[in-house]
Amino acid sequence: MKNHQLIEIGNVLKKYSSFAIFSHANADGDAFGSMLGLGMTLKLLGKKVSYFLPEPVPKVYAFLKDYNLINVAPLNHNDVGILLDSSDIGRIDQLSTHFKSFDVTINIDHHETNDYFATYNYTDKDAPSTTCIILKLIEDAQLPINSDISNALYVGLLTDTGSFHYANTTRNAFLTATKLVKYGADPSSMAKKIFEEETLAHLKLIGIALERMNLRNKIAFSYVTYTDMKSLNASEEDAEGIINLVRKYKDADVAILFKEVGNKVIRVSLRSKRKNINVQDIAVLFNGGGHAAASGCTLHGDLHEAMEQLLSKAEIMLKDANKNK
Amino acid sequence: MKNHQLIEIGNVLKKYSSFAIFSHANADGDAFGSMLGLGMTLKLLGKKVSYFLPEPVPKVYAFLKDYNLINVAPLNHNDVGILLDSSDIGRIDQLSTHFKSFDVTINIDHHETNDYFATYNYTDKDAPSTTCIILKLIEDAQLPINSDISNALYVGLLTDTGSFHYANTTRNAFLTATKLVKYGADPSSMAKKIFEEETLAHLKLIGIALERMNLRNKIAFSYVTYTDMKSLNASEEDAEGIINLVRKYKDADVAILFKEVGNKVIRVSLRSKRKNINVQDIAVLFNGGGHAAASGCTLHGDLHEAMEQLLSKAEIMLKDANKNK
């Protein structure tokens, strides 16, 4: 369980000719940014690169260069497998067999715990994003960088810090941003593409959820129904991120959003606003998972019954947490 | 129309004993941050400081140190008047007489145009916020800084760059943030206090506005009525910032929000999403003002009639702008 030096990993990148880069299911900005950023760097070194995600690719990051190459490269001619922003092989679902088939593997990550499952591992839980580590790798190993790479790496930093709002907004986060701008990243253009290009369905769903917002003790919660989704012709992607508005309520310790995305299929997003409240404990009761501050699970059945069931469990856990604080 | 050196301004600050610091009406994070940040620095130098705003003080920045001293200091014992984040004296309304009464005045600002109305002037339109200039003043003139000052200056930077989303998110913005963290600013704590402590009335008003969102050509618009405001027991402050969600709609060139804040009193917020569209041109038709990208005006009369009147003018201007681009 010891990190290799980034310069050693740089030497592996220089030595081999072709690379398969993977990232996790439910890919976010840091997954896309670290995959594509490192991939473009390798291509500048003259290497062959393939990109793989375990799921169909969401459209929100389609403006990034190389995005259209994800999941389309042939499977059988890479020397090295690289898994980014993933604490264990399970996060790439069925692709784990493919990843394990490489003789040489590399794992770069910033999650709290990590399995050190690869031949070469580098994880730093204090890094604001995996893309911050990729920039350090580029600098330590003197790899090439350009504005497309800088933009990809910036997207990981911007999204994983919640636009520089979250606790991982450290001095290193701003120092990395300063460097990325120097290397050609365009912060306002990236922010505009990610945050100012919302669909009407997304904005209307936010409206519905906030109008319906309700409170039970210190729990702020709301829901959108399958009927809402259908009437707005909304996809599941249109319902992403609504929880971030529900959690803004100042008197909430916990925020919960129920999204009925299909017939009797209810995706639940949970957020904690207090350090002593771990919403993962609620999610695991319903076969979900995540982190202490942000977790999720999927319920099946009638929306209002499912809500009642989960909310009553959440109330009990919240009472216990407040008793023990 | 030539800037003084910041070190000259620093010498004036060191020379005199007491200071009256002013900032503009409709005070924002940069107004509060630069006032309080510079004031606290002067107090560390052993100076007397009074703070003045032309209006009752909104509560959103009440967490900043010295906030409770604004508008309460006595009026008659200051040597130097300092006006921050204001391009002309008119922005402090009736306080301009008070400001003009000082023999020595200082003006520090980052707006595009500035009247150079003071004895000592320093304006830099490329500075992301006035607080970025205050930090440069502190560094150039070797003035004291601590974590309370750093937090105040960080708040100006965070809010004036729209959480590092706007075009003024330059390398200097991130470099300043890096330094402020070194001097003790706590980015996530500031962001939480500004963005994660929303009232229920604010969130419900967002919900109402987004559900009602409508489109006319490339104009996204919505409204909240006085009845909405009363039923939620909402203040005008609860209705701030809703326009920033309306403007997220990807197909909009212009976003407009109508807020009926009193009986037949309608505040209008206008935002442009395209460089060739100047919404100030619309605002001035209705005796309003602002900038090309963000302006406002106040209408009187029936909400729906007023909306129709302004929207039809906006449509004409939009058609002209698209014709000439």
Side-chain angles (χ1 to χ4, degrees), chain A residues 129-168:
Chain A
S129 65
T130 295
T131 61
C132 287
I133 306 175
I134 303 291
L135 180 65
K136 190 166 158 47
L137 166 66
I138 286 171
E139 291 194 321
D140 285 7
Q142 296 183 290
L143 306 178
I145 187 163
N146 62 20
S147 59
D148 288 325
I149 295 165
S150 304
N151 273 326
L153 300 183
Y154 182 78
V155 163
L157 175 60
L158 176 70
T159 55
D160 254 29
T161 58
S163 295
F164 303 95
H165 284 189
Y166 300 159
N168 61 349

Side-chain angles (χ1 to χ4, degrees), chain B residues 23-24 26-40 51 53 55-62 64-65 67 70 84-85 131 152-153 155-156:
Chain B
S23 195
H24 58 79
N26 198 13
D28 57 9
D30 202 22
F32 282 105
S34 53
M35 275 182 94
L36 300 179
L38 181 58
M40 287 188 267
Y51 302 107
L53 284 175
E55 296 173 320
V57 184
K59 280 169 286 181
V60 54
Y61 299 108
L64 290 172
K65 191 159 182 267
Y67 169 93
I70 297 172
L84 299 175
D85 195 42
T131 60
L153 299 182
V155 163

Side-chain angles (χ1 to χ4, degrees), chain A residues 200-202 204-205 208 227-235 238:
Chain A
L200 192 61
H202 175 69
K204 293 257 182 194
L205 285 174
I208 290 169
T227 310
D228 298 328
M229 302 278 292
K230 280 189 296 188
S231 72
L232 292 168
N233 202 14
S235 69
D238 291 319

Side-chain angles (χ1 to χ4, degrees), chain A residues 194-249:
Chain A
I194 299 169
F195 300 108
E196 302 267 327
E197 303 275 327
E198 302 291 2
T199 62
L200 192 61
H202 175 69
L203 294 170
K204 293 257 182 194
L205 285 174
I206 291 175
I208 290 169
L210 291 186
E211 265 216 88
R212 274 190 203 140
M213 199 171 133
N214 218 325
L215 303 165
R216 255 163 83 157
N217 297 317
K218 293 280 200 170
I219 303 170
F221 68 98
S222 192
Y223 60 94
V224 295
T225 68
Y226 192 42
T227 310
D228 298 328
M229 302 278 292
K230 280 189 296 188
S231 72
L232 292 168
N233 202 14
S235 69
E236 195 168 338
E237 206 173 333
D238 291 319
E240 291 281 329
I242 300 173
I243 183 69
N244 295 325
L245 284 128
V246 178
R247 62 163 279 161
K248 284 178 187 284
Y249 176 53

Side-chain angles (χ1 to χ4, degrees), chain B residues 28-315:
Chain B
D28 57 9
D30 202 22
F32 282 105
S34 53
M35 275 182 94
L36 300 179
L38 181 58
M40 287 188 267
T41 291
L42 288 170
K43 284 162 82 173
L44 286 185
L45 282 172
K47 313 294 184 179
K48 278 201 234 172
V49 173
S50 314
Y51 302 107
F52 302 100
L53 284 175
E55 296 173 320
V57 184
K59 280 169 286 181
V60 54
Y61 299 108
F63 60 87
L64 290 172
K65 191 159 182 267
D66 268 16
Y67 169 93
N68 57 326
L69 302 179
I70 297 172
N71 286 348
V72 300
L75 291 171
N76 49 8
H77 72 323
N78 296 111
D79 299 325
V80 179
I82 304 177
L83 179 44
L84 299 175
D85 195 42
S86 303
S87 51
D88 66 81
I89 296 185
R91 294 202 70 197
I92 51 172
D93 300 347
Q94 79 289 355
L95 288 181
S96 60
T97 314
H98 182 200
F99 182 77
K100 283 182 201 160
S101 72
F102 292 98
D103 291 334
V104 177
T105 55
I106 296 172
N107 152 36
I108 298 174
D109 181 37
H110 75 130
H111 289 89
E112 191 80 26
T113 58
N114 185 289
D115 289 348
Y116 282 68
F117 48 79
T119 322
Y120 296 90
N121 298 280
Y122 187 91
T123 86
D124 175 5
K125 71 175 176 51
D126 295 324
S129 64
T130 296
T131 60
C132 287
I133 306 175
I134 303 292
L135 180 66
K136 191 166 157 45
L137 166 66
I138 286 172
E139 291 194 321
D140 286 8
Q142 296 183 289
L143 306 178
I145 187 164
N146 63 19
S147 60
D148 288 325
I149 296 166
S150 304
N151 273 327
L153 299 182
Y154 182 78
V155 163
L157 175 60
L158 176 71
T159 54
D160 253 29
T161 58
S163 297
F164 303 95
H165 284 190
Y166 300 159
N168 60 349
T169 307
T170 56
R171 196 174 161 219
N172 182 33
F174 287 125
L175 203 55
T176 303
T178 310
K179 287 177 182 174
L180 289 173
V181 175
K182 183 181 76 184
Y183 294 132
D186 183 347
S188 65
S189 156
M190 293 300 105
K192 196 168 179 181
K193 282 175 172 136
I194 299 169
F195 300 108
E196 303 267 327
E197 302 276 327
E198 301 291 2
T199 61
L200 192 61
H202 175 70
L203 294 169
K204 293 257 182 192
L205 285 174
I206 292 175
I208 289 169
L210 291 185
E211 264 217 272
R212 275 192 202 139
M213 197 171 133
N214 217 324
L215 304 164
R216 256 163 81 158
N217 298 316
K218 293 280 199 171
I219 303 170
F221 68 97
S222 192
Y223 61 94
V224 296
T225 68
Y226 191 43
T227 310
D228 298 329
M229 302 277 293
K230 280 188 295 187
S231 71
L232 291 167
N233 202 13
S235 69
E236 196 168 339
E237 206 173 332
D238 291 320
E240 290 282 327
I242 301 174
I243 183 67
N244 295 326
L245 283 129
V246 178
R247 62 163 280 159
K248 285 178 186 283
Y249 176 53
K250 69 184 171 68
D251 293 335
D253 284 348
V254 166
I256 307 180
L257 182 71
F258 299 85
K259 296 178 288 187
E260 193 183 21
V261 296
N263 186 24
K264 305 208 175 203
V265 179
I266 304 144
R267 299 245 194 271
V268 188
S269 306
L270 302 114
R271 297 290 183 273
S272 166
K273 296 186 74 173
R274 303 284 172 262
K275 277 206 176 120
N276 68 321
I277 297 168
N278 181 341
V279 288
Q280 195 186 1
D281 291 346
I282 307 168
V284 295
L285 287 180
F286 297 91
N287 301 313
H291 306 275
S295 341
C297 57
T298 302
L299 307 178
H300 299 273
D302 174 77
L303 174 64
H304 289 276
E305 279 170 27
M307 279 172 59
E308 185 52 44
Q309 208 184 353
L310 189 140
L311 284 169
S312 58
K313 294 280 185 201
E315 277 184 312

Side-chain angles (χ1 to χ4, degrees), chain A residues 265-324:
Chain A
V265 180
I266 303 145
R267 299 246 194 272
V268 188
S269 305
L270 302 115
R271 296 289 183 275
S272 166
K273 296 186 75 173
R274 302 283 172 262
K275 276 207 177 121
N276 69 322
I277 297 168
N278 182 340
V279 287
Q280 195 185 3
D281 291 346
I282 307 168
V284 296
L285 286 180
F286 297 90
N287 300 314
H291 305 276
S295 346
C297 58
T298 302
L299 306 178
H300 299 273
D302 175 76
L303 174 63
H304 288 277
E305 280 170 28
M307 280 172 58
E308 185 52 44
Q309 208 184 353
L310 190 140
L311 284 169
S312 58
K313 293 279 185 202
E315 279 185 311
I316 294 166
M317 301 206 74
L318 207 56
K319 256 182 222 159
D320 287 349
N322 285 328
K323 215 180 293 168
N324 300 330

